[in-house]
């Protein structure tokens, strides 16, 4: 099994910098014993203009089979001769990926103490893998590497050069070239995608594989168009692990996407403040209405779901009736701003013990959110794509099940009253939908019915006789809680 990484250079940026980046000196051969064989690194060429590092992996097929058994495949019929007589020792595969991470671990992390300026600089790179098992063929090879910036050549290898009529084997000869990637990125792409193409992991997949995948996939896997296939194959189609990975990738994606949200929220708040007639801007009226509703239901422990930059959290903190306030948001950036604005690090211990900020996505059930008196979803639901809304409904009303839930969302009918809003436009770019009063009510009533809540509606802002109020609020009370209260 064999792989080469080459780069070109000049006097200023000599190609031999590759040695620093890989932490392997071009003048010395390096060998490392792995549990299933030996990895060798050496440099077939190394000067200012061209430098090539080769990774050669000698696999001990017998050790591999023993190790496989030891790892607990259980009662699998391991004794089959096929275990010993197969392509594992010869083809690049998941073993090569493991070897990459074993011998180039610092390089993969992008660390280089000797020359700290090097790892972040993209360089001209060329990677060759003469025999890569590629289930899915050259088409899939391209679909996996091209979105990452590689120019891909994947030539099928004939089953037998002497008998072309036998057709192609499942191997390709792979060449990757790029000028825009760093060595660390290249290694991390290979580490994940070689086993994905091989699609036959040699070792038992355990839950720390999800961590490994996400670490190696940082910066490129969350947005990759083949993310699902990559995740599923990398985790050997183990459904629970795949789901875990997808959820965590989704969090990353949302957190990144929401960086732009935060600006939009700021703009929206500013816009509301400007366009809304005096005396109080709509955002302030909304918080007042929410606080009043929370007091009315006697809530002490409150969740602010999709808390953004923490304006409501700050307001609730001022009332000692609220003994515990938890702000939850998917956006790390919003939470960082919230924490700074609330002055969490300067707060006295007593005050600090009343407030917590958690990162999480509301479309997944989250045990941390169980057992609260009330939850607020203020101007949050319209930020979700409609097909994801049922997931949030279940996570909040089915799993977390606070006694009271307050939901506010814009009333689209009122948009004609915003002078600055062109006809047919939503209030800001990240709103995936805006509902009429009737749409909101019918959604809320069905939701209440499904999860055993009663629901009432309250206008927020001036209640226009024709088009209703700018914001609509639904107050859900768990049916059983009401009975208890009435009793
Ligand atoms: N509640 C605040 C902020 C509303 S903006 C207010 O009333 O002013 C919507 C917020 O929902 C943003 O902070 C966004 O990051 C958050 N959000 C969007 N989708 C989310 C999800 N799936 N999980 C958690 N928070 C989400």
């Amino acid at each position: 099994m064999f792989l080469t990484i080459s780069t070109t250079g000049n006097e200023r940026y000599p190609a031999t910098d590759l040695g620093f980046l890989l932490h392997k000196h071009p003048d010395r051969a390096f060998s490392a014993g792995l549990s299933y064989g030996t990895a060798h690194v050496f440099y077939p060429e190394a000067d200012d203009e061209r430098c090539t590092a080769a990774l050669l992996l000698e696999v001990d097929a017998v050790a591999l089979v023993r190790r496989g058994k030891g790892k607990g495949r259980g009662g699998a019929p391991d004794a089959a001769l096929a275990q010993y007589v197969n392509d594992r020792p010869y083809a690049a595969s998941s073993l090569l990926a493991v070897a990459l991470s074993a011998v180039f671990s610092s390089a993969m992390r992008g660390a280089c103490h000797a020359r700290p300026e090097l790892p972040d600089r993209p360089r001209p790179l060329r990677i060759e893998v003469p025999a890569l098992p590629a289930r899915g063929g050259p088409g899939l090879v391209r679909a996996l590497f091209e979105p990452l910036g590689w120019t891909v050549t994947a030539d099928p290898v004939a089953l037998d050069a002497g008998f072309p009529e036998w057709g192609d084997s499942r191997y390709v000869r792979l060449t990757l070239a790029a000028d825009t990637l760093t060595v660390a990125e290249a290694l991390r792409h290979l580490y994940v995608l070689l086993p994905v193409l091989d699609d036959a992991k040699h070792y038992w997949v355990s839950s720390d594989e999800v961590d490994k995948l996400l670490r190696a996939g940082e910066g490129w896997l969350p947005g990759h168009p083949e993310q699902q296939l990559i995740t599923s194959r990398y985790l050997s189609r183990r459904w629970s692990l795949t789901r875990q990975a997808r959820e965590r990738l989704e969090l990353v994606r949302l957190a990144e996407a929401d960086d732009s949200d935060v600006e939009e929220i700021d703009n929206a708040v500013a816009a509301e403040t400007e366009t809304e007639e005096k005396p109080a801007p709509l955002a302030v009226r909304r918080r007042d209405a929410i606080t009043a509703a929370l007091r009315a239901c006697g809530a002490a422990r409150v969740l602010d779901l999709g808390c953004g930059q923490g304006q409501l959290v700050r307001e609730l903190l001022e009332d000692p009736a609220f003994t515990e306030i938890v702000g939850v948001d998917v956006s790390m950036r919003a939470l960082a701003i919230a924490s700074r604005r609330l002055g969490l690090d300067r707060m006295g211990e007593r005050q600090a013990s009343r407030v917590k900020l958690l990162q999480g996505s509301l479309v997944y059930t989250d045990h941390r959110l169980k057992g609260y008196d009330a939850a607020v979803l203020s101007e949050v639901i319209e930020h979700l794509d409609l097909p994801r809304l049922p997931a949030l409904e279940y996570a909040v009303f089915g799993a977390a099940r606070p006694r009271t839930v307050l939901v506010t969302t814009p009333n689209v009918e009122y948009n004609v009253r915003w002078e600055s809003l062109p006809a047919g436009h939503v209030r800001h770019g990240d709103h995936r939908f805006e509902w009429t009063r009737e749409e909101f009510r019918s959604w809320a009533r069905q939701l209440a019915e499904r999860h055993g809540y009663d629901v009432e509606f309250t206008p927020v802002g001036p209640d226009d006789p024709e088009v209703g109020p700018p914001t609509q609020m639904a107050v859900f009370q768990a049916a059983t809680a009401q009975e208890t209260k009435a009793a």
Side-chain angles (χ1 to χ4, degrees):
M1 262 193 256
F2 194 64
L3 171 152
T4 59
I5 305 175
S6 311
T7 187
T8 52
N10 48 40
E11 263 169 42
R12 180 136 181 256
Y13 298 117
T16 43
D17 281 350
L18 187 62
F20 284 104
L21 286 162
L22 294 175
H23 298 244
K24 299 285 173 286
H25 199 287
D27 293 344
R28 283 196 291 273
F30 166 93
S31 298
L34 306 171
S35 57
Y36 51 81
T38 312
H40 306 277
V41 180
F42 56 94
Y43 289 78
E45 56 181 352
D47 57 40
D48 285 0
E49 271 125 56
R50 291 191 54 80
C51 182
T52 296
L55 171 65
L56 171 71
L57 184 59
E58 274 182 293
V59 173
D60 175 347
V62 175
L64 184 59
V65 173
R66 290 214 182 101
R67 200 175 126 80
K69 270 185 180 162
K71 277 262 178 172
R73 280 243 184 210
D78 274 358
L81 187 60
Q83 296 253 326
Y84 296 90
V85 186
N86 61 24
D87 67 357
R88 295 298 85 184
Y90 314 110
S93 73
S94 52
L95 293 179
L96 192 52
V98 175
L100 273 177
S101 77
V103 299
F104 297 136
S105 63
S106 313
M108 242 169 93
R109 283 198 314 275
C112 185
H113 293 307
R115 300 278 301 280
E117 79 286 1
L118 285 183
D120 291 335
R121 188 185 302 138
R123 7 186 0 124
L125 291 174
R126 189 181 163 89
I127 289 170
E128 289 186 45
V129 191
L132 172 74
R135 186 198 271 245
L140 183 62
V141 177
R142 278 192 293 275
L144 293 179
F145 284 100
E146 278 174 354
L148 300 171
W150 293 103
T151 303
V152 179
T153 319
D155 296 324
V157 175
L159 258 184
D160 188 315
F163 298 89
E165 65 276 17
W166 287 8
D168 292 332
S169 67
R170 65 186 189 91
Y171 299 94
V172 299
R173 178 187 181 88
L174 174 70
T175 308
L176 301 170
D179 289 329
T180 52
L181 295 167
T182 66
V183 168
E185 285 169 328
L187 291 173
R188 291 195 277 119
H189 295 166
L190 293 170
Y191 175 73
V192 174
L193 297 179
L194 294 184
V196 163
L197 283 163
D198 188 6
D199 202 22
K201 272 200 146 181
H202 64 285
Y203 54 86
W204 189 237
V205 173
S206 61
S207 63
D208 67 346
E209 289 300 310
V210 175
D211 293 324
K212 287 187 199 158
L213 173 64
L214 294 186
R215 232 178 291 131
E218 200 186 316
W220 63 270
L221 185 54
H224 197 292
E226 295 294 340
Q227 187 205 77
Q228 296 225 348
L229 175 137
I230 295 170
T231 313
S232 155
R233 279 198 182 185
Y234 185 90
L235 298 168
S236 301
R237 301 196 172 78
R238 295 266 311 269
W239 186 79
S240 65
L241 295 181
T242 307
R243 199 187 66 155
Q244 230 185 76
R246 290 210 185 124
E247 289 185 3
R248 288 171 56 186
L249 284 165
E250 174 72 359
L251 271 182
V252 174
R253 190 188 66 76
L254 281 169
E256 281 167 0
D258 277 343
D259 275 5
S260 60
D261 273 12
V262 172
E263 271 139 45
E264 291 192 50
I265 297 158
D266 268 351
N267 294 341
V269 171
E272 276 169 0
T273 316
E274 279 162 26
T275 46
E276 182 64 6
E277 67 272 43
K278 310 279 183 283
L282 186 54
V284 173
R285 288 194 179 198
R286 199 160 43 226
R287 286 197 290 277
D288 288 350
I290 291 168
T291 316
L294 289 173
R295 286 194 189 111
C297 70
R301 302 177 60 237
V302 179
L303 298 167
D304 182 10
L305 304 176
C307 63
Q309 305 180 13
Q311 290 95 337
L312 179 67
V313 172
R314 184 165 55 192
E315 199 151 312
L316 297 178
L317 266 175
E318 279 165 24
D319 184 341
F322 302 111
T323 57
E324 188 183 339
I325 304 144
V326 179
V328 180
D329 206 286
V330 76
S331 161
M332 281 308 279
R333 189 158 153 238
L335 290 174
I337 297 173
S339 163
R340 202 172 60 234
R341 290 198 183 160
L342 289 164
L344 280 192
D345 51 344
R346 303 183 303 269
M347 223 174 241
E349 219 172 284
R350 231 187 118 109
Q351 190 76 333
S353 70
R354 289 173 61 213
V355 52
K356 237 187 329 203
L357 297 178
L358 303 177
Q359 194 211 6
S361 173
L362 300 168
V363 295
Y364 301 112
T365 55
D366 187 336
H367 64 89
R368 297 173 301 178
L369 308 185
K370 282 204 171 112
Y372 283 82
D373 299 331
V376 178
L377 282 160
S378 164
E379 308 294 283
V380 172
I381 57 170
E382 66 275 10
H383 288 263
L384 267 77
D385 290 322
L386 268 175
R388 305 200 65 110
L389 196 53
L392 174 141
E393 292 166 21
Y394 178 75
V396 176
F397 290 83
R401 281 203 78 77
R403 206 157 29 86
T404 304
V405 185
L406 308 180
V407 179
T408 79
T409 194
N411 161 23
V412 71
E413 293 166 85
Y414 192 88
N415 286 0
V416 296
R417 293 285 184 269
W418 297 114
E419 275 164 19
S420 56
L421 199 66
H425 277 239
V426 293
R427 292 185 202 173
H428 78 77
D430 194 52
H431 286 184
R432 309 297 159 91
F433 61 88
E434 284 179 354
W435 277 335
T436 62
R437 283 167 292 172
E438 196 34 53
E439 284 169 324
F440 180 55
R441 281 166 193 229
S442 109
W443 169 79
R445 288 198 184 106
Q446 285 174 39
L447 173 60
E449 173 78 34
R450 245 189 340 267
H451 291 288
Y453 281 76
D454 296 315
V455 62
E456 283 171 9
F457 302 93
T458 314
V460 180
D463 198 355
D464 186 286
E466 247 174 81
V467 297
T471 299
Q472 33 193 354
M473 177 156 85
V475 182
F476 297 82
Q477 298 280 2
T480 46
Q482 285 228 320
E483 281 153 26
T484 330
K485 229 161 107 191

